[in-house]
Amino acid sequence: MGEKLHLTPEDQFPEDLVSVSDNELQVLDSRIQRQLDHEMVVDGESNRETEFRHYELDEEFQDRDKR
């Protein structure tokens, strides 16, 4: 169990989500959501990079639903 439960803005994020499998995309989404929750509790607001990643994931999920 080497992977953290959340993905910080400093952690690597795939440049091209199209090449990420559905399962990996779900895991990535969960990690980003946990990070957003963590930032809100600790900092009182979300990091811009985390927000951007969340948006990118939402867009990819929508694109996949259309296919």
Side-chain angles (χ1 to χ4, degrees), residues 3-53:
E3 286 203 31
K4 297 185 295 184
L5 294 177
H6 50 83
L7 191 74
T8 68
E10 293 78 26
D11 291 332
Q12 265 193 305
F13 187 79
E15 285 187 33
D16 183 16
L17 293 174
V18 173
S19 62
V20 175
S21 73
D22 289 347
N23 190 42
E24 290 171 337
L25 198 68
Q26 292 281 353
V27 170
L28 197 55
D29 186 54
S30 293
R31 292 177 71 200
I32 291 293
Q33 189 58 56
R34 285 187 187 106
Q35 181 63 24
L36 279 172
D37 294 345
H38 174 78
E39 290 170 0
M40 292 303 289
V41 169
V42 173
D43 303 326
E45 63 184 10
S46 57
N47 182 286
R48 295 182 103 171
E49 181 64 21
T50 305
E51 283 286 342
F52 176 75
R53 291 173 173 189

